[in-house]
């Protein structure tokens, strides 16, 4: 038996959904363990593009049990909309299950998120304003509402009577917003609960029983390592822990249930929203990396915002290897580099104030004081073969193989999967962790 966690190794949007979709074929369970509908995963399959926000992308496989764990926060309205869109495409949702312990994003969470971001002015974080942060805040302050509460009118009413007056005071007195009506929220969210009731279960128990039967589990994270609330570029981070360790707390299985951790990284780097980005580039290279005018152009799945782009940051990836315990790396969108003459990768940072160099990601430091130190690579623009269309590492251009080898050596971690196009089959699988024990253990 082998259980795998798939994590974003950069700032999110690395192409995790495609890797999850690939590995899900060999899994019995696919489980989302944190985040909310602020995440966006896109999978291109059977000539169609599917966009996911809460539902694990493994749902595209018939018969796979797809769970939304207790570590997520759920906006019922958004989830039901996503479920209907998939059903309209003929996707079977009978194997979708939702943790009864997952916390619920309520209308006041969304309004407070929007108001807080507006109040920050030019100091804004870049939140998606979907209420995710305030939902996690209420969870930690023990004033949240769980999915299970939506199934009991008396319990939900009691919870709302406790928390809504406080939220209404903040909305009206601090932000000048209109107060919300308890009866309207109660009626609407009881209706949501009724619709979701057939899908609600004890995910922890289901997974535990699955492991006893020898089922393989694929844990799916949202966002990326550098957006982690503890280990990311705080405060420009998400409000949960996308790193691999959260797969245990976010699903109710212990850490011994994890055997492999695959970190997904683009062959370059992107970031949506606010916050530092040391390797960001502009000009012609940026236009190529953004892949303007292509079906896989760099725009956020959830927000639609254009992503900032830059060269691969290996210092950042080394942090991802460490805090996630990566056993291998999946490099996506290598084909985007097909048309670039000279490719760069950041191998160190230089402190602009002291002149000192560092090879590890600065802890609790202002990244504005650091500039990237680049290693340059000759691209494969003039090569007869390209990455796009390749089906093995051997068939890649020689300079592309050298680029991958440099990444592996720098990180002391193997590249197990290589993405060479947007399609489901446009990928090179060096080693599937579900089918080998060679990658087991931390390097």
């Amino acid at each position: 038996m082998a259980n795998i966690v798939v994590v974003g190794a950069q700032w999110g949007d690395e192409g995790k959904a495609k890797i999850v979709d690939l590995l899900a074929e060999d899994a019995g369970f696919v489980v989302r363990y944190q985040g909310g509908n602020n995440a966006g995963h896109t999978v291109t399959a059977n000539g169609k593009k599917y966009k996911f926000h809460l539902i694990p992308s493994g749902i595209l496989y018939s018969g796979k049990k797809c769970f939304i764990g207790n570590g997520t926060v759920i906006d019922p309205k958004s989830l039901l909309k996503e479920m209907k869109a998939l059903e309209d495409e003929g996707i079977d949702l009978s194997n979708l299950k939702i943790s009864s312990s997952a916390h619920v994003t309520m209308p006041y969470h969304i309004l407070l998120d929007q108001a807080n971001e507006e109040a920050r002015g030019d100091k804004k974080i870049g939140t998606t304003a979907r209420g995710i942060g305030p939902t996690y805040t209420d969870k930690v302050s023990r004033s949240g509402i769980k999915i299970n509460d939506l199934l009991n009118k008396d319990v939900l009413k009691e919870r709302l009577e406790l928390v809504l007056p406080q939220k209404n005071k903040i909305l009206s007195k601090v932000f000048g917003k209109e107060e919300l009506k308890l009866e309207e929220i109660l009626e609407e969210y009881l209706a949501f609960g009724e619709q979701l009731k057939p899908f609600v279960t004890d995910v922890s128990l289901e997974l535990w029983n699955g492991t006893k039967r020898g089922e393989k589990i694929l844990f799916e994270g949202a966002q990326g390592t550098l957006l982690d609330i503890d280990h990311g570029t705080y405060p420009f981070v998400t409000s949960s822990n996308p790193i691999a360790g959260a797969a245990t707390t976010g699903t109710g299985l212990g850490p011994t249930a994890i055997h492999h951790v695959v970190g997904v990284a683009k062959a370059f780097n992107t970031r949506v929203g606010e916050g530092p980005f040391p390797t960001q580039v502009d000009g012609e290279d940026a236009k190529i990396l953004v892949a303007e005018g292509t079906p896989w152009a760099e725009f956020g799945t959830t927000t639609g915002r254009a992503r900032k782009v830059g060269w691969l940051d290996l210092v950042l990836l080394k942090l991802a290897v460490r805090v996630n315990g990566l056993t291998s790396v999946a490099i996506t969108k290598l084909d985007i580099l097909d048309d670039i003459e000279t490719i760069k990768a950041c191998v160190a940072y230089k402190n602009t104030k002291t002149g000192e160099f560092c090879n590890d990601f600065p802890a609790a430091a202002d990244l504005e004081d650091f500039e990237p130190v680049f290693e340059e690579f000759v691209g494969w623009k003039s090569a007869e073969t390209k990455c796009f269309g390749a089906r093995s590492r051997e068939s890649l251009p020689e300079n592309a193989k050298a680029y991958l080898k440099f990444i592996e050596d720098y990180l002391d971690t193997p590249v197990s999967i290589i993405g060479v196009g947007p399609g489901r089959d446009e990928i090179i699988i060096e080693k599937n962790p579900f089918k080998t024990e060679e990658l087991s253990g931390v390097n």
Side-chain angles (χ1 to χ4, degrees):
M1 181 183 71
N3 298 327
I4 303 170
V5 182
V6 174
V7 299
Q10 296 164 317
W11 275 293
D13 303 307
E14 302 96 345
K16 294 182 293 297
K18 183 174 181 177
I19 305 304
V20 170
D21 176 63
L22 168 74
L23 296 176
E25 185 175 7
D26 297 301
F29 296 120
V30 184
V31 194
R32 170 78 178 276
Y33 62 83
Q34 51 77 222
N37 65 317
N38 55 336
H41 295 167
T42 303
V43 175
T44 302
N46 305 318
K48 293 182 180 179
K49 184 177 286 190
Y50 299 89
K51 294 186 177 183
F52 299 92
H53 298 281
L54 273 166
I55 298 173
S57 48
I59 200 73
L60 295 179
Y61 287 98
S62 177
K64 302 297 177 185
K65 297 176 182 176
C66 292
F67 293 163
I68 302 175
N70 59 275
T72 64
V73 294
I74 296 174
D75 179 341
K77 186 182 297 185
S78 174
L79 176 57
L80 288 165
K81 180 180 178 181
E82 187 175 345
M83 290 168 66
K84 184 179 185 306
L86 289 171
E87 286 179 321
D88 288 346
E89 292 288 347
I91 304 301
D92 179 20
L93 299 183
S94 60
N95 283 315
L96 175 66
K97 297 296 179 183
I98 304 163
S99 172
S100 58
S101 297
H103 277 250
V104 179
T105 296
M106 302 297 289
Y108 46 80
H109 292 136
I110 298 170
L111 292 174
L112 288 170
D113 200 1
Q114 294 169 349
N116 274 307
E117 188 72 346
E118 290 170 6
R120 287 177 178 270
D122 59 4
K123 301 292 184 181
K124 63 182 180 179
I125 294 173
T127 172
T128 59
R130 299 195 174 201
I132 309 303
T135 309
Y136 277 114
T137 298
D138 276 6
K139 175 180 179 177
V140 174
S141 67
R142 291 157 290 188
S143 57
I145 291 173
K146 293 186 175 185
I147 285 290
N148 211 42
D149 298 333
L150 304 187
L151 310 182
N152 187 312
K153 182 177 181 179
D154 292 338
V155 171
L156 181 57
K157 185 177 181 182
E158 182 181 344
R159 296 271 193 270
L160 286 172
E161 286 174 340
L162 176 66
V163 71
L164 189 59
Q166 301 170 11
K167 303 302 181 184
N168 274 336
K169 279 184 181 179
I170 298 171
L171 285 169
S172 61
K173 305 299 183 184
V174 177
F175 295 114
K177 305 291 184 180
E178 186 176 345
E179 293 190 358
L180 299 170
K181 294 178 173 59
L182 188 148
E183 289 301 325
E184 291 180 0
I185 296 175
L186 180 64
E187 181 181 353
E188 182 179 27
Y189 279 73
L190 284 173
F192 289 151
E194 192 63 30
Q195 293 177 76
L196 293 175
K197 186 176 182 178
F199 301 92
V200 177
T201 191
D202 184 337
V203 166
S204 174
L205 182 59
E206 294 260 13
L207 293 176
W208 175 256
N209 290 333
T211 61
K212 294 300 183 183
R213 297 192 301 270
E215 298 271 13
K216 296 177 180 178
I217 304 173
L218 181 60
F219 299 92
E220 176 184 10
Q223 289 94 26
T225 299
L226 272 294
L227 291 178
D228 187 273
I229 188 82
D230 289 299
H231 301 285
T233 49
Y234 191 90
F236 303 100
V237 293
T238 193
S239 41
S240 60
N241 292 106
I243 62 170
T248 63
T249 56
T251 61
L253 277 185
T256 53
I258 297 174
H259 306 106
H260 303 281
V261 183
V262 179
V264 186
K266 285 175 181 164
F268 47 100
N269 219 340
T270 64
R271 179 163 197 169
V272 171
E274 307 301 318
F277 188 178
T279 65
Q280 185 176 352
V281 297
D282 299 302
E284 291 304 311
D285 285 342
K287 289 181 180 179
I288 294 173
L289 293 175
V290 170
E292 289 183 343
T294 71
W296 54 102
E298 292 291 347
F299 294 93
T301 302
T302 297
T303 64
R305 293 178 293 190
R307 296 173 183 144
K308 296 176 287 188
V309 295
W311 298 115
L312 182 67
D313 190 332
L314 290 172
V315 179
L316 178 155
L317 279 185
K318 190 159 64 169
L319 170 70
V321 170
R322 170 161 50 90
V323 300
N324 290 294
L326 299 186
T327 54
S328 72
V329 177
I331 296 293
T332 62
K333 294 199 173 187
L334 187 63
D335 56 298
I336 298 299
L337 304 183
D338 279 349
D339 295 320
I340 298 180
E341 293 276 7
T342 302
I343 297 165
K344 298 180 182 181
C346 173
V347 296
Y349 287 169
K350 179 181 178 181
N351 190 312
T352 56
K353 291 183 176 178
T354 66
E356 295 179 342
F357 292 87
C358 60
N359 297 314
D360 293 296
F361 200 79
D366 185 353
L367 285 180
E368 290 183 0
D369 295 338
F370 293 86
E371 62 183 17
V373 178
F374 289 111
E375 182 92 9
E376 292 192 353
F377 302 83
V378 178
W380 47 92
K381 183 177 181 179
S382 58
E384 291 185 9
T385 58
K386 300 293 183 184
C387 293
F388 182 73
R391 290 298 177 267
S392 68
R393 188 184 289 220
E394 291 70 29
S395 64
L396 292 171
E398 290 300 318
N399 290 349
K401 288 189 280 188
Y403 183 60
L404 290 173
K405 181 66 166 56
F406 186 89
I407 293 171
E408 289 179 316
D409 290 345
Y410 187 98
L411 299 177
D412 191 25
T413 305
V415 172
S416 58
I417 300 170
I418 307 163
V420 290
R424 200 179 207 179
D425 62 339
E426 292 170 334
I427 199 157
I428 298 168
I429 307 169
E430 290 276 280
K431 291 179 181 176
N432 183 331
F434 274 135
K435 298 178 179 179
T436 178
E437 294 301 315
E438 295 178 33
L439 298 178
S440 184
V442 179
N443 292 301

PDB file of all heavy atoms in Angstrom, residues 1 3 28-29 65 67 201-217 251-254 257:
ATOM      1  N   MET A   1       0.844  -1.204   0.000  1.00  0.00           N
ATOM      2  CA  MET A   1       0.000   0.000   0.000  1.00  0.00           C
ATOM      3  C   MET A   1       0.868   1.239   0.000  1.00  0.00           C
ATOM      4  O   MET A   1       1.908   1.283   0.645  1.00  0.00           O
ATOM      5  CB  MET A   1      -0.891   0.026   1.245  1.00  0.00           C
ATOM      6  CG  MET A   1      -1.823   1.226   1.304  1.00  0.00           C
ATOM      7  SD  MET A   1      -2.794   1.249   2.833  1.00  0.00           S
ATOM      8  CE  MET A   1      -1.527   1.664   4.027  1.00  0.00           C
ATOM      9  N   ASN A   3       0.295   5.604   0.095  1.00  0.00           N
ATOM     10  CA  ASN A   3      -0.560   6.792   0.113  1.00  0.00           C
ATOM     11  C   ASN A   3       0.276   8.006  -0.232  1.00  0.00           C
ATOM     12  O   ASN A   3       1.422   8.127   0.217  1.00  0.00           O
ATOM     13  CB  ASN A   3      -1.209   6.963   1.487  1.00  0.00           C
ATOM     14  CG  ASN A   3      -2.105   5.792   1.855  1.00  0.00           C
ATOM     15  OD1 ASN A   3      -2.731   5.182   0.987  1.00  0.00           O
ATOM     16  ND2 ASN A   3      -2.167   5.457   3.130  1.00  0.00           N
ATOM     17  N   GLY A  28      -7.737   4.617  -4.586  1.00  0.00           N
ATOM     18  CA  GLY A  28      -9.095   4.261  -4.208  1.00  0.00           C
ATOM     19  C   GLY A  28      -9.851   5.460  -3.693  1.00  0.00           C
ATOM     20  O   GLY A  28     -11.035   5.637  -3.960  1.00  0.00           O
ATOM     21  N   PHE A  29      -9.124   6.316  -2.925  1.00  0.00           N
ATOM     22  CA  PHE A  29      -9.693   7.538  -2.372  1.00  0.00           C
ATOM     23  C   PHE A  29      -8.888   8.743  -2.852  1.00  0.00           C
ATOM     24  O   PHE A  29      -7.652   8.683  -2.921  1.00  0.00           O
ATOM     25  CB  PHE A  29      -9.635   7.529  -0.839  1.00  0.00           C
ATOM     26  CG  PHE A  29     -10.454   6.464  -0.185  1.00  0.00           C
ATOM     27  CD1 PHE A  29      -9.859   5.513   0.617  1.00  0.00           C
ATOM     28  CD2 PHE A  29     -11.832   6.417  -0.347  1.00  0.00           C
ATOM     29  CE1 PHE A  29     -10.610   4.525   1.244  1.00  0.00           C
ATOM     30  CE2 PHE A  29     -12.585   5.439   0.272  1.00  0.00           C
ATOM     31  CZ  PHE A  29     -11.986   4.490   1.067  1.00  0.00           C
ATOM     32  N   LYS A  65     -13.656   7.211  -4.894  1.00  0.00           N
ATOM     33  CA  LYS A  65     -14.289   7.858  -3.750  1.00  0.00           C
ATOM     34  C   LYS A  65     -13.576   9.174  -3.476  1.00  0.00           C
ATOM     35  O   LYS A  65     -12.389   9.187  -3.162  1.00  0.00           O
ATOM     36  CB  LYS A  65     -14.238   6.928  -2.537  1.00  0.00           C
ATOM     37  CG  LYS A  65     -15.016   5.640  -2.746  1.00  0.00           C
ATOM     38  CD  LYS A  65     -14.865   4.688  -1.578  1.00  0.00           C
ATOM     39  CE  LYS A  65     -15.614   3.384  -1.852  1.00  0.00           C
ATOM     40  NZ  LYS A  65     -15.429   2.378  -0.772  1.00  0.00           N
ATOM     41  N   PHE A  67     -13.380  12.656  -1.331  1.00  0.00           N
ATOM     42  CA  PHE A  67     -13.780  13.213  -0.047  1.00  0.00           C
ATOM     43  C   PHE A  67     -13.302  14.651   0.103  1.00  0.00           C
ATOM     44  O   PHE A  67     -12.214  15.001  -0.353  1.00  0.00           O
ATOM     45  CB  PHE A  67     -13.194  12.390   1.108  1.00  0.00           C
ATOM     46  CG  PHE A  67     -13.739  10.993   1.230  1.00  0.00           C
ATOM     47  CD1 PHE A  67     -13.061  10.044   1.977  1.00  0.00           C
ATOM     48  CD2 PHE A  67     -14.919  10.621   0.608  1.00  0.00           C
ATOM     49  CE1 PHE A  67     -13.557   8.751   2.108  1.00  0.00           C
ATOM     50  CE2 PHE A  67     -15.425   9.332   0.722  1.00  0.00           C
ATOM     51  CZ  PHE A  67     -14.742   8.395   1.481  1.00  0.00           C
ATOM     52  N   THR A 201     -20.525  12.689   5.750  1.00  0.00           N
ATOM     53  CA  THR A 201     -20.049  11.478   6.410  1.00  0.00           C
ATOM     54  C   THR A 201     -18.911  11.804   7.367  1.00  0.00           C
ATOM     55  O   THR A 201     -18.441  12.948   7.427  1.00  0.00           O
ATOM     56  CB  THR A 201     -19.589  10.444   5.359  1.00  0.00           C
ATOM     57  OG1 THR A 201     -19.373   9.182   5.987  1.00  0.00           O
ATOM     58  CG2 THR A 201     -18.286  10.883   4.700  1.00  0.00           C
ATOM     59  N   ASP A 202     -18.455  10.795   8.096  1.00  0.00           N
ATOM     60  CA  ASP A 202     -17.257  10.905   8.934  1.00  0.00           C
ATOM     61  C   ASP A 202     -16.070  10.498   8.062  1.00  0.00           C
ATOM     62  O   ASP A 202     -15.768   9.302   7.919  1.00  0.00           O
ATOM     63  CB  ASP A 202     -17.385   9.993  10.155  1.00  0.00           C
ATOM     64  CG  ASP A 202     -16.212  10.135  11.125  1.00  0.00           C
ATOM     65  OD1 ASP A 202     -15.128  10.565  10.698  1.00  0.00           O
ATOM     66  OD2 ASP A 202     -16.384   9.786  12.306  1.00  0.00           O
ATOM     67  N   VAL A 203     -15.420  11.475   7.454  1.00  0.00           N
ATOM     68  CA  VAL A 203     -14.332  11.196   6.508  1.00  0.00           C
ATOM     69  C   VAL A 203     -13.177  10.465   7.185  1.00  0.00           C
ATOM     70  O   VAL A 203     -12.584   9.536   6.623  1.00  0.00           O
ATOM     71  CB  VAL A 203     -13.847  12.500   5.846  1.00  0.00           C
ATOM     72  CG1 VAL A 203     -12.512  12.293   5.138  1.00  0.00           C
ATOM     73  CG2 VAL A 203     -14.895  12.999   4.856  1.00  0.00           C
ATOM     74  N   SER A 204     -12.843  10.866   8.405  1.00  0.00           N
ATOM     75  CA  SER A 204     -11.748  10.217   9.131  1.00  0.00           C
ATOM     76  C   SER A 204     -12.006   8.715   9.274  1.00  0.00           C
ATOM     77  O   SER A 204     -11.113   7.890   9.003  1.00  0.00           O
ATOM     78  CB  SER A 204     -11.589  10.851  10.517  1.00  0.00           C
ATOM     79  OG  SER A 204     -10.635  10.144  11.294  1.00  0.00           O
ATOM     80  N   LEU A 205     -13.204   8.353   9.664  1.00  0.00           N
ATOM     81  CA  LEU A 205     -13.547   6.942   9.849  1.00  0.00           C
ATOM     82  C   LEU A 205     -13.535   6.199   8.517  1.00  0.00           C
ATOM     83  O   LEU A 205     -13.046   5.063   8.425  1.00  0.00           O
ATOM     84  CB  LEU A 205     -14.918   6.826  10.510  1.00  0.00           C
ATOM     85  CG  LEU A 205     -15.418   5.402  10.814  1.00  0.00           C
ATOM     86  CD1 LEU A 205     -14.457   4.675  11.736  1.00  0.00           C
ATOM     87  CD2 LEU A 205     -16.821   5.457  11.399  1.00  0.00           C
ATOM     88  N   GLU A 206     -14.074   6.832   7.479  1.00  0.00           N
ATOM     89  CA  GLU A 206     -14.103   6.204   6.151  1.00  0.00           C
ATOM     90  C   GLU A 206     -12.683   5.917   5.665  1.00  0.00           C
ATOM     91  O   GLU A 206     -12.401   4.844   5.117  1.00  0.00           O
ATOM     92  CB  GLU A 206     -14.821   7.128   5.155  1.00  0.00           C
ATOM     93  CG  GLU A 206     -16.296   7.326   5.433  1.00  0.00           C
ATOM     94  CD  GLU A 206     -17.171   6.462   4.547  1.00  0.00           C
ATOM     95  OE1 GLU A 206     -16.644   5.546   3.889  1.00  0.00           O
ATOM     96  OE2 GLU A 206     -18.395   6.723   4.528  1.00  0.00           O
ATOM     97  N   LEU A 207     -11.779   6.878   5.860  1.00  0.00           N
ATOM     98  CA  LEU A 207     -10.398   6.684   5.419  1.00  0.00           C
ATOM     99  C   LEU A 207      -9.694   5.613   6.250  1.00  0.00           C
ATOM    100  O   LEU A 207      -8.923   4.802   5.728  1.00  0.00           O
ATOM    101  CB  LEU A 207      -9.630   8.009   5.503  1.00  0.00           C
ATOM    102  CG  LEU A 207     -10.067   9.099   4.530  1.00  0.00           C
ATOM    103  CD1 LEU A 207      -9.293  10.383   4.791  1.00  0.00           C
ATOM    104  CD2 LEU A 207      -9.868   8.662   3.085  1.00  0.00           C
ATOM    105  N   TRP A 208      -9.948   5.621   7.552  1.00  0.00           N
ATOM    106  CA  TRP A 208      -9.351   4.616   8.431  1.00  0.00           C
ATOM    107  C   TRP A 208      -9.774   3.209   8.001  1.00  0.00           C
ATOM    108  O   TRP A 208      -8.937   2.304   7.874  1.00  0.00           O
ATOM    109  CB  TRP A 208      -9.778   4.885   9.869  1.00  0.00           C
ATOM    110  CG  TRP A 208      -9.323   3.843  10.852  1.00  0.00           C
ATOM    111  CD1 TRP A 208     -10.087   2.867  11.428  1.00  0.00           C
ATOM    112  CD2 TRP A 208      -8.007   3.666  11.389  1.00  0.00           C
ATOM    113  NE1 TRP A 208      -9.334   2.096  12.289  1.00  0.00           N
ATOM    114  CE2 TRP A 208      -8.044   2.567  12.276  1.00  0.00           C
ATOM    115  CE3 TRP A 208      -6.800   4.339  11.203  1.00  0.00           C
ATOM    116  CZ2 TRP A 208      -6.935   2.122  12.978  1.00  0.00           C
ATOM    117  CZ3 TRP A 208      -5.684   3.894  11.901  1.00  0.00           C
ATOM    118  CH2 TRP A 208      -5.758   2.798  12.773  1.00  0.00           C
ATOM    119  N   ASN A 209     -11.051   3.038   7.754  1.00  0.00           N
ATOM    120  CA  ASN A 209     -11.537   1.733   7.301  1.00  0.00           C
ATOM    121  C   ASN A 209     -10.950   1.367   5.942  1.00  0.00           C
ATOM    122  O   ASN A 209     -10.672   0.197   5.673  1.00  0.00           O
ATOM    123  CB  ASN A 209     -13.065   1.720   7.243  1.00  0.00           C
ATOM    124  CG  ASN A 209     -13.698   1.748   8.626  1.00  0.00           C
ATOM    125  OD1 ASN A 209     -13.093   1.296   9.601  1.00  0.00           O
ATOM    126  ND2 ASN A 209     -14.916   2.269   8.728  1.00  0.00           N
ATOM    127  N   GLY A 210     -10.774   2.394   5.093  1.00  0.00           N
ATOM    128  CA  GLY A 210     -10.177   2.150   3.788  1.00  0.00           C
ATOM    129  C   GLY A 210      -8.743   1.643   3.887  1.00  0.00           C
ATOM    130  O   GLY A 210      -8.337   0.729   3.159  1.00  0.00           O
ATOM    131  N   THR A 211      -7.983   2.239   4.805  1.00  0.00           N
ATOM    132  CA  THR A 211      -6.594   1.788   4.972  1.00  0.00           C
ATOM    133  C   THR A 211      -6.554   0.348   5.478  1.00  0.00           C
ATOM    134  O   THR A 211      -5.653  -0.415   5.116  1.00  0.00           O
ATOM    135  CB  THR A 211      -5.827   2.698   5.960  1.00  0.00           C
ATOM    136  OG1 THR A 211      -6.456   2.670   7.245  1.00  0.00           O
ATOM    137  CG2 THR A 211      -5.772   4.127   5.455  1.00  0.00           C
ATOM    138  N   LYS A 212      -7.513  -0.027   6.296  1.00  0.00           N
ATOM    139  CA  LYS A 212      -7.566  -1.399   6.796  1.00  0.00           C
ATOM    140  C   LYS A 212      -7.829  -2.389   5.663  1.00  0.00           C
ATOM    141  O   LYS A 212      -7.413  -3.554   5.730  1.00  0.00           O
ATOM    142  CB  LYS A 212      -8.654  -1.536   7.867  1.00  0.00           C
ATOM    143  CG  LYS A 212      -8.382  -0.746   9.147  1.00  0.00           C
ATOM    144  CD  LYS A 212      -7.093  -1.179   9.808  1.00  0.00           C
ATOM    145  CE  LYS A 212      -6.849  -0.448  11.107  1.00  0.00           C
ATOM    146  NZ  LYS A 212      -5.555  -0.820  11.712  1.00  0.00           N
ATOM    147  N   ARG A 213      -8.526  -1.919   4.633  1.00  0.00           N
ATOM    148  CA  ARG A 213      -8.797  -2.776   3.469  1.00  0.00           C
ATOM    149  C   ARG A 213      -7.681  -2.718   2.441  1.00  0.00           C
ATOM    150  O   ARG A 213      -7.751  -3.377   1.400  1.00  0.00           O
ATOM    151  CB  ARG A 213     -10.114  -2.348   2.803  1.00  0.00           C
ATOM    152  CG  ARG A 213     -11.353  -2.506   3.667  1.00  0.00           C
ATOM    153  CD  ARG A 213     -12.616  -2.339   2.829  1.00  0.00           C
ATOM    154  NE  ARG A 213     -12.676  -1.044   2.166  1.00  0.00           N
ATOM    155  CZ  ARG A 213     -13.234   0.042   2.693  1.00  0.00           C
ATOM    156  NH1 ARG A 213     -13.770  -0.013   3.915  1.00  0.00           N
ATOM    157  NH2 ARG A 213     -13.270   1.180   2.028  1.00  0.00           N
ATOM    158  N   GLY A 214      -6.669  -1.885   2.694  1.00  0.00           N
ATOM    159  CA  GLY A 214      -5.560  -1.768   1.748  1.00  0.00           C
ATOM    160  C   GLY A 214      -5.815  -0.792   0.619  1.00  0.00           C
ATOM    161  O   GLY A 214      -5.122  -0.812  -0.399  1.00  0.00           O
ATOM    162  N   GLU A 215      -6.793   0.103   0.784  1.00  0.00           N
ATOM    163  CA  GLU A 215      -7.079   1.114  -0.244  1.00  0.00           C
ATOM    164  C   GLU A 215      -5.929   2.119  -0.337  1.00  0.00           C
ATOM    165  O   GLU A 215      -5.304   2.459   0.671  1.00  0.00           O
ATOM    166  CB  GLU A 215      -8.370   1.867   0.100  1.00  0.00           C
ATOM    167  CG  GLU A 215      -9.609   1.006   0.153  1.00  0.00           C
ATOM    168  CD  GLU A 215     -10.298   0.888  -1.195  1.00  0.00           C
ATOM    169  OE1 GLU A 215      -9.678   1.270  -2.205  1.00  0.00           O
ATOM    170  OE2 GLU A 215     -11.442   0.414  -1.218  1.00  0.00           O
ATOM    171  N   LYS A 216      -5.679   2.612  -1.540  1.00  0.00           N
ATOM    172  CA  LYS A 216      -4.666   3.643  -1.744  1.00  0.00           C
ATOM    173  C   LYS A 216      -5.327   5.018  -1.664  1.00  0.00           C
ATOM    174  O   LYS A 216      -6.388   5.242  -2.256  1.00  0.00           O
ATOM    175  CB  LYS A 216      -3.997   3.472  -3.109  1.00  0.00           C
ATOM    176  CG  LYS A 216      -3.213   2.167  -3.248  1.00  0.00           C
ATOM    177  CD  LYS A 216      -2.645   2.025  -4.650  1.00  0.00           C
ATOM    178  CE  LYS A 216      -1.872   0.724  -4.796  1.00  0.00           C
ATOM    179  NZ  LYS A 216      -1.348   0.555  -6.173  1.00  0.00           N
ATOM    180  N   ILE A 217      -4.680   5.928  -0.953  1.00  0.00           N
ATOM    181  CA  ILE A 217      -5.253   7.258  -0.724  1.00  0.00           C
ATOM    182  C   ILE A 217      -4.374   8.317  -1.377  1.00  0.00           C
ATOM    183  O   ILE A 217      -3.156   8.318  -1.218  1.00  0.00           O
ATOM    184  CB  ILE A 217      -5.382   7.560   0.780  1.00  0.00           C
ATOM    185  CG1 ILE A 217      -6.203   6.481   1.480  1.00  0.00           C
ATOM    186  CG2 ILE A 217      -6.015   8.936   0.998  1.00  0.00           C
ATOM    187  CD1 ILE A 217      -6.231   6.622   2.988  1.00  0.00           C
ATOM    188  N   THR A 251      -7.733  15.585   7.528  1.00  0.00           N
ATOM    189  CA  THR A 251      -8.540  14.419   7.145  1.00  0.00           C
ATOM    190  C   THR A 251      -8.804  13.492   8.313  1.00  0.00           C
ATOM    191  O   THR A 251      -9.722  12.670   8.255  1.00  0.00           O
ATOM    192  CB  THR A 251      -7.843  13.600   6.037  1.00  0.00           C
ATOM    193  OG1 THR A 251      -6.586  13.117   6.526  1.00  0.00           O
ATOM    194  CG2 THR A 251      -7.629  14.438   4.792  1.00  0.00           C
ATOM    195  N   GLY A 252      -7.994  13.587   9.378  1.00  0.00           N
ATOM    196  CA  GLY A 252      -8.199  12.722  10.528  1.00  0.00           C
ATOM    197  C   GLY A 252      -7.445  11.424  10.468  1.00  0.00           C
ATOM    198  O   GLY A 252      -7.801  10.459  11.160  1.00  0.00           O
ATOM    199  N   LEU A 253      -6.394  11.353   9.628  1.00  0.00           N
ATOM    200  CA  LEU A 253      -5.503  10.195   9.614  1.00  0.00           C
ATOM    201  C   LEU A 253      -4.148  10.611  10.163  1.00  0.00           C
ATOM    202  O   LEU A 253      -3.686  11.731   9.924  1.00  0.00           O
ATOM    203  CB  LEU A 253      -5.338   9.642   8.198  1.00  0.00           C
ATOM    204  CG  LEU A 253      -6.411   8.683   7.686  1.00  0.00           C
ATOM    205  CD1 LEU A 253      -6.008   8.146   6.320  1.00  0.00           C
ATOM    206  CD2 LEU A 253      -6.650   7.522   8.634  1.00  0.00           C
ATOM    207  N   GLY A 254      -3.472   9.708  10.840  1.00  0.00           N
ATOM    208  CA  GLY A 254      -2.176  10.019  11.416  1.00  0.00           C
ATOM    209  C   GLY A 254      -1.070  10.089  10.381  1.00  0.00           C
ATOM    210  O   GLY A 254      -1.230   9.620   9.245  1.00  0.00           O
ATOM    211  N   ALA A 257       0.263   7.397   7.882  1.00  0.00           N
ATOM    212  CA  ALA A 257      -0.516   7.031   6.697  1.00  0.00           C
ATOM    213  C   ALA A 257       0.067   7.602   5.420  1.00  0.00           C
ATOM    214  O   ALA A 257      -0.374   7.255   4.320  1.00  0.00           O
ATOM    215  CB  ALA A 257      -1.961   7.507   6.854  1.00  0.00           C
TER     216      ALA A 257
END
